[in-house]
Every structure is written in C-alpha cells, then in structure tokens.
Amino acid sequence: MDIRFEQAEARFEGRTVVHPLTLSLSERRIGVIGLNGSGKTTFARMINGLVLPAAGKVTVNGFDTGKDGDKVRGQAGFIFQNPQNQIILPILKEDIALGLKSRKLSKAETEAAVEAVLARFGIAHLGERRAHELSGGELQLAALASVLVTRPDILIMDEPTNQLDLRNHSLVERTIHSLDENIIVISHDLSLIADFDRVLFFHEGRLAHDGPPAEVIARYRELAA
Amino acid sequence: MKTLYVEGDTFLHRLSPRTKLVGLAALSLFLFLIHSPTVLSVSATLGGIVYASLRLGWHQSWLRLRPILLTIAIVALFTLVLNGWHDALIVITRLTALALFAAAVTATTSTGDFIDEITRLAMPLERLGLVRAADIGLSIGLVIRFVPEILGRYQAIRDAHRARGLKVRPLTLTVPLIILTLKNADEIAAAIDARGVRAQK
C-alpha cells in the first residue's frame, strides 16, 4: 500500500474541512480517530477519490485520485458508515455480483467469486436474502463481502462498529482483525484500533497527532476529557 | 414492495427473461384489443393455471396478489356502477388475466436477470449516444431495492409523530421523508461511485 497526500486540502462550500496535508501511508493497519466533525471521514473519502482535493494531490498506489478515479477505486474499497446504503440491489448475491460487472467475467466465474466471498465471511446462508431484512452485523459483513469480492488492495472502513449490539460488535471486530488486506479504519471505538500499526488523530481539520496507537490514543483522551 | 422472485426450476424459470418480457407485452396488447368476456375469462383462467404451476401455495399467493386483486375489485366496482355489468366483467377478467401472467413472470425472473435484460434492450439507445444502457438497468434495480427502505422510513416518521403525541399530517410526513430520502440518495450515489459500479469500460 502506498498512499500519498501532497499538500492536499478539502473544502466544502468555502469552508476548509481538511487543511493542507502532506503524509504517506504504507502500514498494513491504520486507525483514524478524532471528535465529530474533525475531518476524519473527509480524509478517508479523499483516499478513494469520493472527495477530490481542492488543492494539492492524493495518490493511491501511484494513481492520482483526480485523474484516475476508476483505477483508484479499484485499489481502495470503501465501507460506509451506514452499510444499508451500500447494498445496491435487493438480493445479496446479486448485489455482490454487481461489483464484478465491469470485469466482464463469465456467469460461472462471477458465481464462483460470489460464493467464495460469502463463504469467507461465513454468510453463505444469507446469499438469497433481501438486504433490508438483514441485521446490523449481517449488513456490515454483507458490505464487506460486496467490496472485497473485487479484491481491492486497500479497504477503508468508516465507523464499522457504529450502532452494533455487543454480539455483532464482537463479530465485526473479529472479522476486521482477521482481514489480510491493508485496512484504514475510522472509528470512535478505541479498543478496535488499539493494536493497529499506526493511528492518525484529526482535530479541527488538521492532523494533530500521528504515531503508535497507545501514544496517539492517550493524546486523544487528553483532548476529549 | 419486496422482491417477488421465487427460486425454482419450472418451465417459466427456464424461459429467457427476454421471451417472458416480450411475451407479456404481446399478451397485454392482445388483452386490451379483445372485448369478448368469454375470451377474457379463458385468458384469466389460463393465467390462474400458469400462476398455480409455480406452486407457491394459497397463502403465499394471496399475500402476493392481494394488493393488485383488491385494486382490480375497486376498479371493477366503479365500472359496474358507471357502465354496467358487461363492462365490469370485461375489466375484471382482463385485469385479472394481466395481473396473473405478470405476477408469474415476476416470480420466475430474478432482479439480476431482469436488470441484465433491460440493459441489453437499452443497448441500441446507448449506440445512438442517448443513454448508458447499464444506468437504466441500475436505476430499475435501485427502485426495487430502496422502495422497502422508503416505506420503512415513512413508518418510522409516522411512529415518531405518534410517540410525541403529534397529529399525523401529510405535510409533516412528506417533508421529512423527502429530505431523508434525498440525503440517502447522496450516500447511495457515493456508494455506487466507491464500488466502481459505473466505472468506465
């Protein structure tokens, strides 16, 4: 994984949401923390080109988010805060297959890939279910399957354990820790990222601290207290 | 509205979606050109036989067909009052036949197959540079997927009114519903982009 921000800045309606930022990310597991409205989600959306920099540039594995949006999104998958909105087609299997459409696979290859990713997350029994009938934990796993079926190099997750009950929280947490992909997790759940390789702490649109989890989380707790 | 597809291996399941859609369109045209109650009654009976061949059971069939059959009954009732029994008989047999054949097509065609077929049928429009064919298929999939969500949201807003002891009024229901739906639409559009579903080929 090679993500680079070069004086990249994000603005919304004349307001700077992420101030000019220069950094590079190569660790396998990165956490992003900060108070509400600190710019975490915008930062994450800049990585896969959903938010383009108003100034500077962002590259992902050598692809510029402004010029090669489709290629960047092929490299970096994104799980949204509300996975309900991420499942686009009514039946889970059909939705997962939708992500493979642009790859021009045969029907058999597509079905095999869908079955494999469902089995990987232990949700093969949900394949024929309707998205609006799934529980919070099932939806989160379904969203993971729908993104990872395309085999992105990087997976970005925006508050993946938000609003989950204890059982689903544990299930999603275990799943995240078992992922082989490079992951960037935005979370208020500090225990989830406590053993990650690196944590970024955003405050008021700026990268306030950057380093090992224990040190950065301690700074965050000081500020939030 | 929910996805009405039922897994199975009947003759209708094996027919291609295109054959079913074109056949349904031709049958609809035929039913609206015919004014003989006898022919229409036979068509409705055939529709019933085709639907029954799916073996969904009485209860499941009633749950699926209830909204459309009740609507047909209301339309037929108005026709009876305004135009007499002959016209009412034509309306009820024609619409019942159409509803049964259409329900059989819906129950035997998965959303994915349906979208693929619509996309293929829209390809000539894409070649003329008028639309992206995949967008038309995707739009239909999105409608089927998110109608239950919007209904769920509508019920949540109505419950919120009741919980606060507020009278449920059309304006106070529809405004938050529209705002929430538009907000969700933005997120769904972002998800479509993020998943590369509309990636350039």
Side-chain angles (χ1 to χ4, degrees), chain B:
Chain B
M1 190 168 93
K2 290 182 176 179
T3 301
L4 297 171
Y5 176 68
V6 182
E7 282 281 338
D9 192 30
T10 65
F11 171 70
L12 271 179
H13 279 91
R14 289 192 293 273
L15 272 184
S16 78
R18 178 170 300 190
T19 308
K20 284 185 273 191
L21 288 174
V22 172
L24 186 61
L27 184 73
S28 311
L29 204 61
F30 168 75
L31 290 172
F32 275 90
L33 291 174
I34 295 295
H35 294 277
S36 155
T38 312
V39 176
L40 290 171
S41 297
V42 170
S43 304
T45 309
L46 280 175
I49 292 168
V50 169
Y51 195 77
S53 74
L54 303 177
R55 297 183 183 178
L56 295 174
W58 286 106
H59 181 65
Q60 186 62 237
S61 300
W62 169 243
L63 286 179
R64 289 162 164 261
L65 295 170
R66 183 174 54 185
I68 187 70
L69 292 182
L70 289 177
T71 309
I72 292 171
I74 292 168
V75 173
L77 192 67
F78 273 101
T79 314
L80 178 68
V81 172
L82 297 172
N83 297 341
W85 68 269
H86 184 265
D87 282 3
L89 186 61
I90 289 175
V91 163
I92 202 163
T93 48
R94 176 184 286 154
L95 294 182
T96 303
L98 193 54
L100 289 168
F101 280 113
V105 169
T106 315
T108 56
T109 313
S110 73
T111 317
D113 287 344
F114 193 63
I115 290 170
D116 286 346
E117 195 53 51
I118 299 270
T119 304
R120 275 193 286 272
L121 290 171
M123 284 309 284
L125 296 176
E126 179 166 304
R127 279 192 281 274
L128 291 172
L130 296 174
V131 290
R132 280 181 66 175
D135 287 357
I136 294 180
L138 182 61
S139 308
I140 289 166
L142 285 170
V143 169
I144 298 169
R145 161 74 178 91
F146 285 99
V147 165
E149 302 288 338
I150 294 168
L151 288 178
R153 212 168 293 135
Y154 166 84
Q155 280 157 3
I157 296 168
R158 196 184 54 190
D159 290 348
H161 276 70
R162 287 179 179 156
R164 294 173 62 190
L166 300 172
K167 196 173 176 188
V168 179
R169 296 174 196 278
L171 192 67
T172 56
L173 267 179
T174 49
V175 171
L177 183 65
I178 290 169
I179 291 170
L180 280 174
T181 304
L182 290 176
K183 190 168 178 286
N184 252 35
D186 281 344
E187 288 177 25
I188 294 157
I192 289 169
D193 280 345
R195 289 182 59 188
V197 171
R198 294 185 73 246
Q200 299 294 328
K201 292 152 198 168

Side-chain angles (χ1 to χ4, degrees), chain A residues 172-190:
Chain A
V172 171
E173 188 172 358
R174 275 200 310 274
T175 306
I176 290 171
H177 281 115
S178 70
L179 292 173
D180 299 324
E181 287 81 3
N182 297 299
I183 54 174
I184 298 174
V185 179
I186 301 143
S187 187
H188 291 296
D189 180 358
L190 301 179

